[in-house]
Amino acid sequence: MTKKMKLSQLSDILQDLDVESLEGVTIEGDIELNITGGGGLNPALAYALGNEISQISLHMANIGRMLGFPAEQLFASAFGLGEMPQPEALPTSPKIQELLASKFEVAKVDNWKNPIQEVTLGATSGDGGSRKSTVTIGGENALPYYFDAEMPHRNYVTMDVFDMPIGMAKAVKGNYEDVINDPAEWAKKVVRDFNADMVTIHLISTDPLINDTPAKEAAKVVEDVLQAVDVPIVIGGSGNPEKDPEVLERAAEVAEGERVLLASASLNLDYERIAKAAMDYGHNVLSWTQLEINAQKELNRKLMKQCNVPRERIVMDPTTAALGYGLDYAYTNMERIRLAGLMGDDELTFPMSSGTTNAWGAREAWMVSSPLNQDSDWGPREYRGPIWEIVTGLALSLAGNDMFMMMHPTSVQVLKEITQTLYGSIESEEIDITNWIGAEV
Amino acid sequence: MKINSPLEAYKFLPATNCGECGEATCMAFAAHLIDRSHKLTDCKPILEAKFKKKYEELDALLAPEIREVEIGVGDKIVKIGGDDVLYRHKLTFFNQTAYAYDVTDSMDEKDLVERVKYVQDFKKFYVGNFLTVDMVAVRCTSKDPAKFAAAVKKVVETTDLPIILCSFDPAVLKAGLEVSKDRNPLLYAANKDNWKEVGELALEYDVPVTLFAPDDLDMLKTLAKTFAEMGTEKLVLDPGTFPTGKQLKQTLTNFLKVRRAGIDGDREIAYPIMAVPFTAWMAHDDPVSASYWETVVASVFTIKYGDIMILHSTEPYAMLPELHIRDTIYTDPRKPVTVDPGMYKVGEPTADSPVLVTTNFALTYYTVESDIASNKIDCFLWAIDTDGIGVEAAVAGGQLTAEKIKKGIEDSGFDLKKDTSHNTVVIPGLAARLQGDVEDATGANVMVGPADSGRIPGWMEKNWPPQKK
């Protein structure tokens, strides 16, 4: 039979005893424990008492738990166990206190061994022409702007001039309304006001389905443009395969010695006549094919072997499709051509030109708003158009394109700025981006 | 991927040619493992216990060089990285660049919600689908953890899009994590000063984390190595995006170097890369210039190896080209984008409805189809097999001819004389020169439609029904 007692009586009973431990104690109801610290209580007794009480508590907690009461939580909150770190399983690696230093290294490409051919456009008086300066493209030993090799020449922009008024997107047209009937003035304007490196005169009125302007008359326009500006020029036909050879022959003749670029020799016309005109009068040839690497090789080969065009007189145009309208093909076609050239395919080691103006064919560049009402608002087309031309050109510049035929002044300005930035010739104030997150914009 | 020929993969397969994967032979399946059009788990037998070792070995060999990192949860989850090649024509690029547009914790709640919704809902129709953007980045500009948490909470309540929590202060990041931890957000960022605390947060909450070491590739690699050792490979690398001048050129160089090292097999740095075209706004005051330059920088790093980026301008003239250049770079260059050739009914055409012809180049087809459908024009539309080439190029290259059009219509069992009341075909404006030939080949009347299908509704008003001859 055990003696029943209240906790409050414990201290009294045990006060004067040298108690090591209590055995067989049960406690019920009215729990009251009053232990005064400091002098009153014998430390040995207090320890023993504390020990016993804790043991009792544990037993009672066990009972509580059996009855379904979450006693652990009570203990945890009473002793702050919840916040205590869980004892870690034996750590497999010590907690890292210092950064593990590592050095970054990367190899340069070792299979780009074939430099791209350098081609010079335009001739100064010293070379038998009348240009004030020339433009040299090509010469790369690496993909554009890559750190593997210095890029010898920056990208250049030749702006489009037409020999008759043409349909243009509104955002483009606004810049040319005053010169649209005068190709020479038009050419002057793009050089003087819009910073064109070169001028392309497109003789589109010669197309039999347009005005069928005779070749001789078209050649007169070429003379006017040569007089009006002193930058190198590109001469384009109408794209009519029957008429172009004749038109370009006459144009080549009047531009003798100016080292213009004749646009274009292609597989669907008599490229031999165009190549011959270029050789006879000292010009370069634009070798144009449609998004097909093997066709490009074939035409380049024919120009070199069959027409005896020297390597330093060939520029390629593998066709530009607009952003969202086949640029995925154009980009990869160009990138593959450039890589093949660098790796030694000498039928493809030529600088490249892009008809970047094609970007204006994309409806996103010129339409007032989306024809689909599910589309989000397209915003003002005055800003949309130029950026379509910029991004189209920019993508191709990263694929290896050297020269851009373009139309919109803003596009020309921004494309030149970004390509020359990547080329490394644009100085600019350094910007500290360390804390960009907090920037107020 | 450590292997590149089907034969190497084949050695690990059960070689039973069971056909469960949908391929006739294990070798065919192996080829699709290499071009990544099948997953190893599509092979059911290899999942059996007895093949466990082979499965694990092959799985490791097939793992992409650049690790794949997931951000967000559910339908809108964003995966980045996972690439194996430096040039898209070699294989294709996987997991297109994720575009995140920013909000700040100093914004009015109303403006914040409006902006998040705009970003979430922005869409542009393209090739049978809508192009959309992916994420919201919440920047802490207040320096106040409570304010940041409130903004993050608002974003989480407003959208399912994955989020990026942006601050260099671990206390701020922790506050943001507390209200978004079940959304698997991306932490931005650990740097050389806060790496320990931010690293612990990333591990504790088990979320991906960005490492930021502006123009310091040794530090970037050091951080990546340290984090891997700490126990996480859910890492994104930010080598710093400097918006102008020689610093921008250096930024491109850094991107090229990091990706090349990763693809070349340096595992310590083979993680997705982040670009921050946002910094363009630190260089330009005028919003149009800033938007333009931001789009230009975004384009450069969408093309060259940015796997995820943080942007600011939500002007359509910035977002549309960004969406399109991304689609351009991440379209699989190995497959022409085509639709099946044949007859498609748009709306509910009758014998009086027009018969239109276009090509099976997906872009052309879907553009024409959507222009017609959205204007509620009922018609028969033929996708002529041009090997996936658009109208203008196909006419020039001989893939779209009168014979092809005649064959295309006849092959679908359609009889112009019996099935229409008008015996008329409308060809695209860009194929006008085929008019006479098509008349001769089909014996039908041939009308020339507009050059851009956006103008079909106007053209229909003037020209349809055709005048009886």
Side-chain angles (χ1 to χ4, degrees), chain B residues 197-220:
Chain B
E197 296 86 345
V198 175
E200 275 161 20
L201 283 177
L203 287 166
E204 183 190 337
Y205 289 88
D206 192 24
V207 291
V209 58
T210 312
L211 310 177
F212 179 50
D215 196 23
D216 185 348
L217 298 185
D218 286 340
M219 177 52 68
L220 195 62

Side-chain angles (χ1 to χ4, degrees), chain B residues 167-194:
Chain B
S167 171
F168 295 116
D169 180 349
V172 168
L173 290 176
K174 188 174 171 68
L177 273 168
E178 269 306 311
V179 294
S180 63
K181 58 190 168 195
D182 55 344
R183 294 282 290 274
N184 190 30
L186 172 64
L187 288 187
Y188 184 100
N191 59 25
K192 65 179 168 35
D193 302 316
N194 70 11

